[in-house]
Amino acid sequence: MAEDRIDWSFFSMARYIATADPGGGQTVPRAAWDGFLERLAEVARLAEEAVPAEPADRASAFRGLLQLLYFGMERTLGSADPARPVLSRPWPVHLFDYGAGNPDAVYRTASLSDAVTYRISGTLGNAAFMSLEFFDGATQAGSLLVSDLRPDESGRFEVLLGPAERPGHWLGIVPGTSYLLTREFFSDWADAIPSELRIECLDDPASGWPVLSADRVAKELQALGTWLVETVRVFSGAQGKGIRQFANQWDPHVSRPDSDLPAIYHAYWDLWPGQCLLLEVPVPPGGYWGIQLANSLWNTLDFANRQTSLNRAQAYVGPDSVFRAVISHSDPGIANWLDTLGHRQGAVLMRVQWSAHRDAPARSLAETRDDWMSGWADERPAGTPASELPAPAARVVAASDLDAALPAGTPRVTQAQRRGVLDERLRQVTRLQRS
């Protein structure tokens, strides 16, 4: 097993908890609980230091800590035993979020072991993009796209993953793998059909039936507390660096441009009342893309009740294939408005699928390994080239000058139309995240 270090990736918690001693006769030390409370206090201090003093930013940060706590608890207490795996329910991203989860996504997770064989099967839905990713801590230990699953004409598929080859569609699991994350990105929320997925362990567990032990509970407390501290440190650090270097601009370095996943552009706003940030982003003629706003701790802003995200099916794109949007504190009456919810500062993430990245199905999980996530928060060496992907643009415009800055034909909306859009968003999000 890889190093049992707990980092900002929640995948590392499962790997650490898997080392728990299942033996009985022990009691949970009070120090484990006290240590967890000390970590909560440290998290609050880090958050308070990282966000602006404005009321909306401060309230959002402490609400975000509650979201992270809930999210981490579900990834620890709700994580099934790798020998009896169960895919989690879809994440309610607009309520409980981590790392600026995608508003267009249905995410599911399951704990795994590299010592047993699994069958993953089901029927595919109609996602614009889908992947199954395997993790060893923050290191991606392989990924599968739809073509790798070899679905039949009805979308049914079955794939076996394990350490020793078996008859059928089998792929060797990468040593150290401890977690599965499924991503499905939908452009049209109203017509979205998530996949029906099932995971089974085909081997008898070496350690017998799952048991609750003192060591496991102590490790859950340690994992959750440490992960919270590292998560807040990493995301608030990324936000602080972004504001210092790229306030009201796009970072020219694109995240994961060569992976199987849609590339991510990052920008950072720092706006006062009366200011707008005008975004101009070239978009591909096909494939998935979507944009969203997040707070200074990278909690996704409420997209069910407010328009803090847009995607290909929801947004207007000009005849020049450029997506233009306005970030501002008050509604400018522009269809492509992104609502800051009063946050003075925040992050912008835009996922764009410029290509399928991989033409041929994977022959093994090992060949699809990608370390983009484990190095995501690292400082880039001086002279690191920017991405070769098309570059977006951003500029601050006074609200009074916005009309003149936008091209003719920019779609407008009335307050009544905006309310109708928001009512429909809530209906669609509720439907999608209950699937």
Side-chain angles (χ1 to χ4, degrees):
M1 180 173 289
E3 179 189 3
D4 299 325
R5 185 174 67 87
I6 304 166
D7 55 38
W8 61 276
S9 68
F10 64 87
F11 312 110
S12 66
M13 290 195 289
R15 184 178 65 186
Y16 176 71
I17 292 170
T19 66
D21 182 356
Q26 301 169 317
T27 58
V28 179
R30 168 67 183 273
W33 181 259
D34 291 342
F36 174 66
L37 295 182
E38 290 173 2
R39 292 295 182 140
L40 290 183
E42 185 178 358
V43 163
R45 178 184 59 78
L46 289 171
E48 193 170 31
E49 293 173 350
V51 303
E54 277 68 28
D57 297 74
R58 186 61 59 87
S60 180
F62 282 101
R63 169 66 70 82
L65 295 184
L66 290 175
Q67 292 187 35
L68 287 171
L69 179 59
Y70 176 96
F71 183 92
M73 289 176 65
E74 183 150 317
R75 306 278 81 75
T76 52
L77 304 184
S79 181
D81 189 283
R84 298 178 62 77
V86 176
L87 282 162
S88 72
R89 60 187 176 180
W91 302 357
V93 177
H94 67 295
L95 298 175
F96 309 110
D97 179 43
Y98 154 88
N102 188 353
D104 301 324
V106 169
Y107 296 106
R108 296 182 177 93
T109 58
S111 293
L112 302 179
S113 166
D114 60 3
V116 296
T117 298
Y118 298 96
R119 176 191 292 121
I120 302 176
S121 60
T123 302
L124 300 179
N126 61 357
F129 172 84
M130 179 181 180
S131 70
L132 277 66
E133 294 167 81
F134 303 87
F135 287 91
D136 172 11
T139 301
Q140 189 188 76
S143 68
L144 298 177
L145 302 179
V146 168
S147 60
D148 300 321
L149 302 177
R150 302 180 188 175
D152 64 19
E153 293 182 357
S154 66
R156 290 191 296 269
F157 75 93
E158 176 179 300
V159 59
L160 304 179
L161 309 165
E165 185 170 359
R166 297 201 180 190
H169 181 199
W170 173 87
L171 294 170
I173 198 165
V174 174
T177 298
S178 60
Y179 221 84
L180 166 66
L181 169 66
T182 71
R183 306 177 195 246
E184 295 180 86
F185 294 170
F186 299 91
S187 295
D188 190 339
W189 297 355
D191 293 332
I193 302 174
S195 299
E196 296 179 4
L197 302 176
R198 182 182 181 188
I199 183 169
E200 307 162 79
C201 180
L202 303 184
D203 297 325
D204 292 330
S207 58
W209 293 100
V211 296
L212 181 64
S213 69
D215 192 47
R216 179 184 175 96
V217 173
K219 279 187 163 57
E220 288 172 341
L221 289 167
Q222 171 67 23
L224 182 55
T226 301
W227 172 79
L228 283 168
V229 170
E230 293 304 312
T231 296
V232 171
R233 179 179 290 127
V234 165
F235 288 122
S236 65
Q239 177 69 13
K241 182 173 61 177
I243 288 292
R244 289 191 301 273
Q245 296 181 347
F246 306 110
N248 299 318
Q249 302 176 53
W250 291 95
D251 183 341
H253 301 90
V254 181
S255 178
R256 67 191 192 196
D258 301 316
S259 77
D260 287 337
L261 301 170
I264 302 182
Y265 296 93
H266 296 93
Y268 307 87
W269 84 82
D270 187 359
L271 298 172
W272 295 100
Q275 291 183 315
C276 304
L277 187 62
L278 176 58
L279 307 178
E280 297 178 302
V281 188
V283 292
Y288 168 81
W289 65 261
I291 191 170
Q292 69 175 98
L293 304 187
N295 70 5
S296 293
L297 299 184
W298 285 36
N299 303 110
T300 296
L301 296 191
D302 179 3
F303 57 87
N305 299 291
R306 306 285 282 272
Q307 187 167 286
T308 64
S309 71
L310 289 167
N311 63 34
R312 175 182 294 282
Q314 300 165 340
Y316 168 78
V317 176
D320 55 357
S321 297
V322 173
F323 162 71
R324 294 177 176 85
V326 175
I327 298 176
S328 62
H329 300 308
S330 58
D331 190 346
I334 304 300
N336 287 355
W337 173 46
L338 293 170
D339 186 353
T340 67
L341 274 63
H343 293 68
R344 185 188 128 196
Q345 294 180 354
V348 187
L349 289 86
M350 186 159 184
R351 296 170 176 85
V352 183
Q353 186 181 12
W354 285 105
S355 68
H357 295 300
R358 182 149 42 85
D359 296 327
R363 297 183 302 276
S364 70
L365 285 172
E367 73 175 282
T368 65
R369 295 174 69 173
D370 193 302
D371 215 20
W372 71 265
M373 188 170 178
S374 60
W376 172 84
D378 295 345
E379 291 283 348
R380 298 185 184 91
T384 301
S387 171
E388 297 179 356
L389 295 177
R395 57 191 170 108
V396 175
V397 178
S400 57
D401 298 331
L402 183 59
D403 286 346
L406 291 167
T410 298
R412 315 283 172 143
V413 295
T414 65
Q415 287 299 310
Q417 290 171 326
R418 183 77 74 197
R419 176 57 187 267
V421 169
L422 297 182
D423 289 346
E424 184 60 25
R425 286 176 75 91
L426 180 59
R427 283 191 290 270
Q428 293 175 2
V429 169
T430 302
R431 170 188 168 274
L432 184 59
Q433 295 190 345
R434 284 181 177 173
S435 300

